[in-house]
Amino acid sequence: MASSRKLIVEVVDARDLMPKDGHGTSSPYVMIDYYGQRKKTRTEIRKLNPSWNEALEFNAGKPSEVFSDMLELEVYHDKNYGPTTRNNFLGRLRLSSSQFVKKGEEALIYYNLERKSLLTWVQGKIGLKIYYVDAVPVPQPGPPTENNPPAPEEAKAEEAKRNEKVEASSNPEPSPPADEKPAEEQPSGEAKAETEATGQPPAPENVAPEGEKEPQPDTSSPPQQEQPPEGKEQEPPQIAQEQNLPHPVQEQGDIEFDLSGSKWGQPEITSEHVMAAAASGSQPQVKAASPINAPRPISRTMSVPSFASDLPDNISIERSSFDLVEKMHYLFVRVVKARFLPINGSPVVKISVGNNCTESKLARKTSFFEWDQTFAFGRDSPESSVYLDISVWDPPRGEVSERGNFLGGICFDITDIPLRDPPDSPLAPQWYRLEGGEAHNGDLMLATWVGTQADDSFPDAWKTDTAGHVNSKAKVYVSPKLWYLRATVIEAQDIFPSVAALKDASFTIKAKLGFQVQKTKASCTRNGTLSWNEDLLFVAAEPLTDKLKFELENRQPKGPVTLGITTEIPLKNIERRVDDRVVASTWFSFENTTNDKRVYKGRVHLRLCFDGGYHVMDEAALVCSDYRPTARQLWKPPVGTIELGVIGCKNLLPMKTVFGKGTADAYVVAKYASKWIRTRTVSDSLEPRWNEQYTFRVYDPCTVLTIGVFDSWGVFEADNVNKETTRPDCRIGKVRIRISTLETGKVYRNTYPLLLLGNNGTTKMGEIELAVRFIRLSPTLDFLHVYSQPLLPLMHHIKPLALVQQEMLRSTAVKIIAAHLTRSEPPLRQEVVHYMLDFDSHAFSMRKVRANWFRIINVIAGVIDIMRWVDNTRAWKNPTATILVHALLVMLVWFPDLIVPTLALYVFVIGAWNYRFRSRDPLPHFDPKLSLADTVEREELDEEFDAVPSTRPNEVVRIRYDKLRTLGARIQTLLSDFATQGERVQALVTWRDPRATGIFVVLCLIVALVLYLVPSKMVAMAFGFYYLRHPMFRDRMPSPALNFFRRLPSLCDRIM
């Protein structure tokens, strides 16, 4: 039975409301409107921090043009309490239904109340829990079916009443205002009227109407030399079964089909998954030629639903096209079933097109021999004239690959095969008579057509370029939803009696969640009470099936000893939060589980919660593809979509040798946010062509799309090649595209080199051709407003995580995601996930150290150029420029208000000038020069890719250690210089050098008196002219001020 969805809004409490009753308080109540349903809470009398704890239930309606999908909440002061004469407004809130979650994922969120207009003054927050529940409606009992039916007059009267109620429900009157009628009674009254209007007993789903009989499978013997008449309808059992299928239960986000509509409009599909529609463009027309040996299909009238569209016209679905990739033509053959075959086994179908030959799976024996399998044969040209041979065989017992008994075959000329271009409906299969075999009267139901990779049957079809392997299909994966689990270990009690013999013992709490183990710091006790107040963070993935366990350990010289273990805590029972509010804490008992009897060993005070306000990092922070928090309630609407077209690769290097020939089985993986896509694996090709297109939703433009190319060994696993079954998929290369560098609506179709850095240096593995387009969905101002928002959610700023802790949690998250995707079918292997997420990016690399140092030099190069220009101006190398600088100095000194505008104008001129020299190269890609990948020594690369702990000989490790010590000495000297300069600044007023401090203090007094007596403009101008004086008036020695500063003492003499 279909379930009805309800929206539950739990109004918990409010904080710091505005007093509106004239006596410094308020009597607030909450009014909520959702899909035309209005409900209110009770009134909390004279409270600025009211607590309602009420749950309001609403019917979750279907998309409507009358009611929006917004939940509107308003808080009012009740005029019945206080001297006010009207319900004063206290605040409002508008929430989109996309922020609501299902039951079990809800969390208490405090929303800031918003003002109704610019002149309205409101304050405070309101705490809500909003979630969906699926309620199964109670079936209404049908009218009694007694032997005495009601009189005709009574039946007519009842029918007239029902018609009146139906008309009333279809043309409802406007609802009265809330002051005249309680809002709670409206939904129940409407539901009652709707129930009465449709109170007919439901018709049975699987019972045929009178006068008709259910179709029975044809199990009689085949007719002898007899053709069915042309005018007789012969409906396949498949369609008859589809008409009697019950309607599926509609889940959230599913499309509801309205099969009762008589009009079928143009469908539109708004999906972020694979864009499965044909590319726009003209298709060459295939001209019908005279059949050579093509059999005539058995005459059969098709039912109308087989040609009708599956989507009604009331559903807005956006039709997309493969407009970023090239169109690839395929010959599709769908083998459905066979009948009247003179065998008792399971036959197979062999299909041959030119040099391509394949074989179907074994038939499933029902009333027919069923396969329902689709094959796609690549076509170099849609007009090429080749023959399609389809034959049915009875394989011998044991092995299918050997030659068996020939039952019959069919031959087609491909010029007679029709074209299909979506959104055309699927081609209906037809019965064809088998010829030339033992099955003289056997029939085979199949359908053949010429289509493209946008065909609906293409993803699951057997393909010639993938050699039909199971793990070669294109798939879309979704990363599991990750949460940060915060376990706060507060204290423990009753620990002393169990270890009374120990003095000054230290204890730690060890927490386990799956493979994650964390410990608190050691705590000592003499009275049986321990205190930690320490947070332990874990990463948990949905579904929350793991359990959390705590152990009490006593640290001893010989090793830790476990004194007690808590019972396993199910993660589903832990509270979720989205802010930094304090959740309730709980006491858990320690028990000794070594013996059969459980002995009390103390108790521990814990505070457990899921922090949904954080973003669980699975990528490096600077190349992350998503910054959204875990809690869906905090998500903002997408600002655009990114369309990726994977066209193909060129000039790939051979990754393996098969039968003495170098080849590659390449596939592409792309990752953005929680969505992963994997193209099909093109077997035995060094220039594979995929031409697949995918779409990702963009929530932040300052993110990165990652594309990787890999060589698959799954082909050999499917062929049971024992020698290569354990080999990982090899890396070929990776590409990163930053979304913010893309212009809106522009198609970027470029070829990127696939560079792979290894122990032997940088190797160009080939090239990949991609097409990328960014489409903006949000308004321009909203899109630009994103640049003013923080990248990470608010919790990262309220309670920030340490860098070491965040890197440890990221490593854990990558392991969880890899384990989840490995269990998919086909699996996304662990080495693929690690490479895409840069799992080893935190490893030490001397090459990266030098590369980052040169990056710093490039950044400060502009400052160095400015200092060099100032020195040249002071040296009067260009007298004209120096004179102009003097004039500018005079203007800025006498008109100081022009300083900031002049700087802003100067920056604008620089930016406008550099616009002419902006990079017109393709999208930025990995730069070997910037990475120092071309000039790095092989010894440094070997050190970079060495495992931890090192596996190299001791002599090699010693040399690397000495080199690291040399680098450390340089960094040590640099840090010492920085510390020395800072200590000299402190020594100006600390009297470490009494004479130097006395001179500085006296000079400060003289400067203060001079500035009090002389106008600041005169001092600034005098200093400027003195600084820009001609070199003939300067001394080559350092200035007295610099000499004085260098003589100040530091703490270097105290360093041992």
Side-chain angles (χ1 to χ4, degrees):
M1 180 179 297
S3 61
S4 60
R5 171 156 291 189
K6 303 287 185 180
L7 179 68
I8 307 299
V9 181
E10 293 187 13
V11 184
V12 181
D13 59 356
R15 300 176 180 176
D16 303 328
L17 295 180
M18 179 71 67
K20 287 294 183 72
D21 64 347
H23 296 289
T25 61
S26 292
S27 299
Y29 68 90
V30 179
M31 182 77 70
I32 301 179
D33 191 350
Y34 182 68
Y35 269 102
Q37 309 164 64
R38 179 171 295 180
K39 295 186 179 182
K40 62 174 289 188
T41 64
R42 68 177 184 275
T43 301
E44 288 292 319
I45 303 174
R46 297 182 180 89
K47 292 183 179 179
L48 295 180
N49 297 297
S51 179
W52 292 281
N53 290 316
E54 289 190 33
L56 305 181
E57 181 179 305
F58 300 88
N59 295 323
K62 303 175 184 178
S64 172
E65 297 180 357
V66 179
F67 304 109
S68 64
D69 62 346
M70 302 293 293
L71 184 143
E72 299 183 358
L73 180 147
E74 295 180 345
V75 185
Y76 289 96
H77 162 71
D78 196 341
K79 65 180 180 181
N80 297 324
Y81 302 93
T84 58
T85 58
R86 60 188 179 90
N87 295 331
N88 292 327
F89 178 76
L90 297 178
R92 64 181 298 185
L93 184 65
R94 290 171 57 87
L95 298 175
S96 174
S97 60
S98 61
Q99 299 176 281
F100 306 154
V101 297
K102 61 183 179 181
K103 183 173 178 57
E105 298 181 4
E106 73 278 4
L108 177 59
I109 304 179
Y110 284 89
Y111 299 94
N112 292 321
L113 293 175
E114 303 172 355
R115 60 181 64 186
K116 183 181 296 184
S117 62
L118 185 62
L119 301 179
T120 307
W121 183 258
V122 299
Q123 70 177 24
K125 298 180 179 180
I126 185 169
L128 303 174
K129 285 185 178 180
I130 308 176
Y131 53 90
Y132 288 110
V133 294
D134 293 328
V136 179
V138 179
Q140 298 292 337
T145 57
E146 298 180 353
N147 296 330
N148 298 327
E153 296 179 357
E154 297 178 359
K156 293 180 180 179
E158 293 179 359
E159 183 68 18
K161 290 180 180 180
R162 283 196 295 268
N163 293 337
E164 292 176 0
K165 293 178 179 179
V166 170
E167 293 176 359
S169 62
S170 61
N171 300 318
E173 298 180 359
S175 59
D179 297 338
E180 299 180 5
K181 183 178 179 180
E184 292 84 0
E185 299 178 4
Q186 183 177 355
S188 60
E190 292 179 359
K192 182 177 179 181
E194 183 179 357
T195 305
E196 293 177 358
T198 60
Q200 298 293 337
E205 296 177 347
N206 298 326
V207 178
E210 289 187 4
E212 297 182 5
K213 296 182 179 180
E214 296 182 3
Q216 301 293 334
D218 188 5
T219 58
S220 60
S221 60
Q224 301 294 331
Q225 304 296 333
E226 200 173 67
Q227 297 289 343
E230 295 182 357
K232 184 177 179 179
E233 295 184 1
Q234 185 176 358
E235 185 174 352
Q238 170 181 321
I239 299 177
Q241 293 174 5
E242 291 177 357
Q243 293 176 354
N244 293 329
L245 289 176
H247 296 287
V249 178
Q250 182 182 1
E251 300 292 342
Q252 182 183 6
D254 293 344
I255 298 177
E256 181 180 357
F257 299 106
D258 186 9
L259 298 179
S260 61
S262 58
K263 296 180 180 180
W264 301 86
Q266 178 67 30
E268 296 181 2
I269 298 178
T270 57
S271 175
E272 65 175 355
H273 297 295
V274 181
M275 307 179 68
S280 59
S282 60
Q283 172 69 29
Q285 182 179 3
V286 176
K287 300 179 180 180
S290 58
I292 300 177
N293 193 18
R296 298 182 59 185
I298 299 176
S299 60
R300 169 174 166 271
T301 58
M302 301 299 297
S303 59
V304 175
S306 63
F307 292 103
S309 173
D310 292 336
L311 300 177
D313 55 356
N314 59 357
I315 299 178
S316 176
I317 298 180
E318 179 183 358
R319 181 191 173 191
S320 57
S321 59
F322 275 32
D323 54 347
L324 297 182
V325 297
E326 301 172 355
K327 184 182 294 186
M328 301 177 67
H329 299 280
Y330 287 88
L331 171 63
F332 290 89
V333 179
R334 181 190 175 194
V335 181
V336 183
K337 53 189 173 182
R339 64 182 180 183
F340 306 148
L341 300 181
I343 60 172
N344 294 324
S346 298
V348 297
V349 176
K350 295 183 180 181
I351 306 174
S352 177
V353 180
N355 297 327
N356 297 317
C357 183
T358 185
E359 187 175 292
S360 70
K361 60 185 179 182
L362 293 175
R364 182 166 49 96
K365 186 68 171 69
T366 57
S367 57
F368 301 94
F369 299 97
E370 297 184 359
W371 293 278
D372 197 10
Q373 194 172 358
T374 305
F375 304 86
F377 297 88
R379 303 288 298 151
D380 297 334
S381 173
E383 298 180 355
S384 59
S385 177
V386 295
Y387 296 103
L388 169 64
D389 295 328
I390 304 175
S391 57
V392 182
W393 296 76
D394 180 18
R397 304 293 179 182
E399 299 182 1
V400 180
S401 59
E402 295 182 359
R403 187 176 182 87
N405 297 326
F406 177 66
L407 300 179
I410 310 172
C411 182
F412 291 90
D413 192 339
I414 295 182
T415 57
D416 297 331
I417 295 178
L419 296 173
R420 177 180 178 264
D421 198 6
D424 295 345
S425 300
L427 195 65
Q430 298 182 4
W431 289 104
Y432 292 88
R433 179 58 48 85
L434 297 175
E435 299 178 355
E438 298 179 1
H440 300 287
N441 297 304
D443 296 328
L444 180 65
M445 177 180 282
L446 56 88
T448 61
W449 69 93
V450 174
T452 64
Q453 75 271 28
D455 199 283
D456 300 336
S457 304
F458 182 77
D460 295 327
W462 180 97
K463 309 173 189 65
T464 52
D465 53 3
T466 63
H469 294 289
V470 178
N471 295 335
S472 300
K473 296 181 180 179
K475 293 294 180 180
V476 176
Y477 306 84
V478 178
S479 299
K481 191 174 185 179
L482 302 179
W483 292 80
Y484 279 152
L485 172 60
R486 185 183 297 271
T488 304
V489 183
I490 303 174
E491 60 179 346
Q493 295 181 356
D494 303 335
I495 304 301
F496 182 76
S498 59
V499 289
L502 300 177
K503 296 182 180 180
D504 298 333
S506 62
F507 300 89
T508 60
I509 297 293
K510 182 170 70 174
K512 294 182 178 180
L513 179 63
F515 64 89
Q516 307 174 60
V517 178
Q518 294 195 37
K519 291 184 179 181
T520 63
K521 298 178 181 179
S523 178
C524 300
T525 180
R526 291 187 178 181
N527 57 0
T529 301
L530 301 169
S531 179
W532 289 280
N533 288 320
E534 187 174 347
D535 289 342
L536 304 178
L537 280 180
F538 300 89
V539 180
E542 291 186 354
L544 303 174
T545 56
D546 295 336
K547 295 183 179 180
L548 183 63
K549 183 173 61 174
F550 292 87
E551 297 180 2
L552 176 63
E553 290 187 350
N554 174 224
R555 300 180 62 180
Q556 297 182 5
K558 295 182 180 181
V561 177
T562 302
L563 301 180
I565 302 176
T566 62
T567 57
E568 295 182 342
I569 305 172
L571 299 185
K572 294 183 178 180
N573 300 335
I574 298 177
E575 185 178 355
R576 307 184 184 191
R577 69 175 186 180
V578 297
D579 49 15
D580 59 339
R581 63 183 179 86
V582 179
V583 299
S585 57
T586 310
W587 287 92
F588 295 90
S589 299
F590 286 119
E591 297 177 350
N592 188 358
T593 58
T594 57
N595 302 325
D596 295 339
K597 297 182 180 180
R598 294 187 175 181
V599 182
Y600 176 74
K601 293 293 183 179
R603 61 176 185 167
V604 62
H605 195 194
L606 302 175
R607 182 181 292 115
L608 306 176
C609 67
F610 283 108
D611 278 335
Y614 288 95
H615 168 67
V616 181
M617 303 290 292
D618 58 348
E619 300 170 292
L622 300 180
V623 292
C624 193
S625 61
D626 189 16
Y627 295 102
R628 291 176 297 168
T630 302
R632 187 182 181 89
Q633 299 93 321
L634 303 180
W635 290 4
K636 297 180 181 179
V639 298
T641 59
I642 184 71
E643 298 179 358
L644 172 65
V646 184
I647 300 174
C649 284
K650 300 178 181 178
N651 305 321
L652 290 182
L653 297 182
M655 303 300 297
K656 62 174 72 75
T657 302
V658 179
F659 301 114
K661 174 187 175 183
T663 183
D665 302 322
Y667 65 93
V668 176
V669 176
K671 195 265 181 187
Y672 187 81
S674 60
K675 181 178 177 181
W676 300 67
I677 64 98
R678 170 178 174 166
T679 65
R680 67 185 188 277
T681 302
V682 178
S683 301
D684 194 14
S685 176
L686 297 179
E687 294 190 359
R689 307 296 291 179
W690 293 284
N691 285 299
E692 299 181 13
Q693 186 167 334
Y694 301 90
T695 303
F696 304 88
R697 286 187 178 181
V698 177
Y699 293 87
D700 194 315
C702 301
T703 48
V704 176
L705 170 65
T706 305
I707 303 103
V709 186
F710 302 88
D711 178 69
S712 174
W713 285 91
V715 174
F716 296 92
E717 292 183 4
D719 293 340
N720 295 323
V721 180
N722 297 327
K723 296 182 180 180
E724 307 294 348
T725 52
T726 59
R727 293 201 56 174
D729 289 353
C730 300
R731 307 172 180 179
I732 297 181
K734 184 164 57 175
V735 176
R736 289 199 188 108
I737 299 175
R738 186 168 291 275
I739 308 301
S740 59
T741 60
L742 304 178
E743 298 181 10
T744 303
K746 180 179 179 181
V747 178
Y748 295 84
R749 181 166 178 171
N750 301 313
T751 301
Y752 303 88
L754 296 174
L755 304 176
L756 188 63
L757 184 63
N759 295 337
N760 298 325
T762 305
T763 306
K764 185 177 179 181
M765 307 298 294
E767 297 177 348
I768 183 172
E769 187 176 3
L770 301 174
V772 184
R773 177 172 57 198
F774 174 72
I775 300 177
R776 179 172 55 82
L777 300 180
S778 62
T780 304
L781 294 180
D782 294 345
F783 183 76
L784 297 179
H785 178 67
V786 175
Y787 283 85
S788 65
Q789 302 300 309
L791 277 176
L792 294 174
L794 182 61
M795 282 297 294
H796 287 269
H797 305 277
I798 297 178
K799 298 185 69 173
L801 303 175
L803 294 179
V804 177
Q805 186 181 30
Q806 187 168 340
E807 190 62 33
M808 181 190 65
L809 293 174
R810 174 178 172 260
S811 176
T812 304
V814 172
K815 294 178 181 178
I816 293 176
I817 294 175
H820 176 84
L821 297 179
T822 304
R823 295 192 297 266
S824 305
E825 186 62 34
L828 205 58
R829 298 198 174 190
Q830 179 180 1
E831 60 272 9
V832 175
V833 178
H834 286 182
Y835 182 60
M836 295 291 293
L837 298 179
D838 289 332
F839 182 65
D840 54 352
S841 61
H842 60 279
F844 173 77
S845 171
M846 186 69 69
R847 174 186 59 85
K848 292 183 180 180
V849 171
R850 292 192 291 110
N852 292 331
W853 170 255
F854 286 123
R855 288 173 59 195
I856 296 176
I857 297 301
N858 291 333
V859 169
I860 65 177
V863 179
I864 296 175
D865 293 339
I866 294 176
M867 296 176 61
R868 187 180 295 111
W869 176 81
V870 172
D871 290 337
N872 294 336
T873 304
R874 291 183 60 202
W876 290 72
K877 292 185 177 181
N878 188 353
T880 304
T882 305
I883 294 175
L884 292 177
V885 169
H886 281 77
L888 179 63
L889 175 64
V890 173
M891 183 184 67
L892 294 180
V893 168
W894 288 101
F895 302 97
D897 296 340
L898 299 178
I899 295 177
V900 175
T902 302
L903 291 177
L905 180 62
Y906 181 70
V907 174
F908 167 77
V909 171
I910 293 177
W913 180 263
N914 291 337
Y915 180 78
R916 299 173 53 194
F917 307 100
R918 67 187 185 278
S919 176
R920 300 183 183 274
D921 297 335
L923 293 178
H925 185 50
F926 291 109
D927 190 350
K929 183 178 180 181
L930 180 63
S931 306
L932 302 181
D934 296 336
T935 59
V936 66
E937 297 179 1
R938 185 165 299 182
E939 173 64 23
E940 294 183 358
L941 289 176
D942 185 73
E943 179 184 6
E944 179 177 348
F945 291 98
D946 190 12
V948 178
S950 178
T951 58
R952 298 298 182 264
N954 295 335
E955 185 65 23
V956 176
V957 175
R958 186 186 64 80
I959 296 175
R960 293 175 180 175
Y961 176 68
D962 292 341
K963 185 186 298 184
L964 186 61
R965 291 176 60 187
T966 304
L967 177 63
R970 296 179 183 177
I971 297 176
Q972 170 186 316
T973 304
L974 184 63
L975 294 178
S976 176
D977 292 341
F978 276 110
T980 299
Q981 306 306 324
E983 290 167 354
R984 286 174 177 172
V985 174
Q986 293 178 348
L988 289 173
V989 292
T990 57
W991 296 92
R992 290 191 59 216
D993 186 346
R995 287 177 292 273
T997 304
I999 295 173
F1000 178 74
V1001 171
V1002 172
L1003 287 177
C1004 289
L1005 177 61
I1006 296 174
V1007 170
L1009 295 176
V1010 170
L1011 293 179
Y1012 275 124
L1013 299 176
V1014 181
S1016 58
K1017 294 182 180 179
M1018 297 296 296
V1019 175
M1021 184 174 296
F1023 178 78
F1025 277 92
Y1026 175 77
Y1027 183 76
L1028 296 174
R1029 66 190 185 279
H1030 198 274
M1032 62 182 299
F1033 300 108
R1034 293 196 209 133
D1035 190 2
R1036 295 184 179 182
M1037 299 298 292
S1039 64
L1042 184 59
N1043 295 332
F1044 175 79
F1045 182 78
R1046 289 176 177 175
R1047 291 179 177 273
L1048 292 173
S1050 65
L1051 299 180
C1052 293
D1053 52 347
R1054 300 185 183 182
I1055 297 296
M1056 298 180 64

